[in-house]
Amino acid sequence: MEKDFFEMVYQVVRLIPQGRVTSYGAIAKYLGSAKSSRIVGYAMNGSHQQKILVPAQRVVNRNGLLTGKIHFATPNTMQELLEQEGVKIKNDKVVDFEELFWDPSEELKL
DNA sequence: GTAATGACCTTGG
DNA sequence: ACCAAGGCCATTA
């Protein structure tokens, strides 16, 4: 199966506070594989398969760009959800991304 | 079994 | 500063 890596990714993503965002690399790094950022994105691809809803809209790339919005129900869903949580989006990218950035390695630590 | 792809990141020219 | 290439892990063809 997709195994623990995916599960861990989902866990971390669910732990992201509302109105906050993080990056694939941060999650991958927290999981121990900083180079596996792609896998994190891939995991998000199957997030909709999970029984529990995964706030994948809070996960963006390092640029704060909503690269994965196209994988949502509609390319506008991601932005809509983020705006609902108070995150402002400009040109498909998070406003004040650095401030809203939520690093699991810093917040959750070990 | 090998080869190619992907919601990425880092480094080199 | 901008453009190009490589790497890494898992899934799919």
Side-chain angles (χ1 to χ4, degrees):
Chain A
M1 289 288 289
E2 301 73 37
K3 299 197 140 293
D4 306 298
F5 200 91
F6 278 42
E7 288 281 329
M8 302 244 295
V9 173
Y10 299 140
Q11 286 276 34
V12 176
V13 174
R14 292 195 203 108
L15 290 173
I16 301 173
Q18 196 176 56
R20 293 296 207 95
V21 290
T22 187
S23 65
Y24 305 93
I27 298 173
K29 186 175 184 178
Y30 174 72
L31 294 178
S33 303
K35 329 289 185 60
S36 310
S37 47
R38 310 186 69 153
I39 314 303
V40 177
Y42 208 92
M44 294 285 89
N45 200 334
S47 60
H48 70 98
Q49 300 175 15
Q50 292 302 307
K51 300 190 289 189
I52 310 176
L53 266 295
V54 181
Q57 67 272 13
R58 296 176 190 159
V59 185
V60 294
N61 69 342
R62 202 192 171 302
N63 279 316
L65 190 70
L66 282 62
T67 52
K69 64 171 193 171
I70 54 181
H71 283 269
F72 278 76
T74 67
N76 221 45
T77 308
M78 192 171 187
Q79 181 173 334
E80 290 271 327
L81 290 169
L82 284 171
E83 287 182 340
Q84 277 185 16
E85 296 183 0
V87 180
K88 292 169 184 171
I89 308 301
K90 184 107 177 190
N91 283 339
D92 295 343
K93 55 182 198 253
V94 179
V95 180
D96 296 330
F97 174 66
E98 297 181 12
E99 296 183 12
L100 297 175
F101 184 77
W102 182 82
D103 191 347
S105 298
E106 292 291 313
E107 301 295 329
L108 299 177
K109 305 237 168 157
L110 291 173

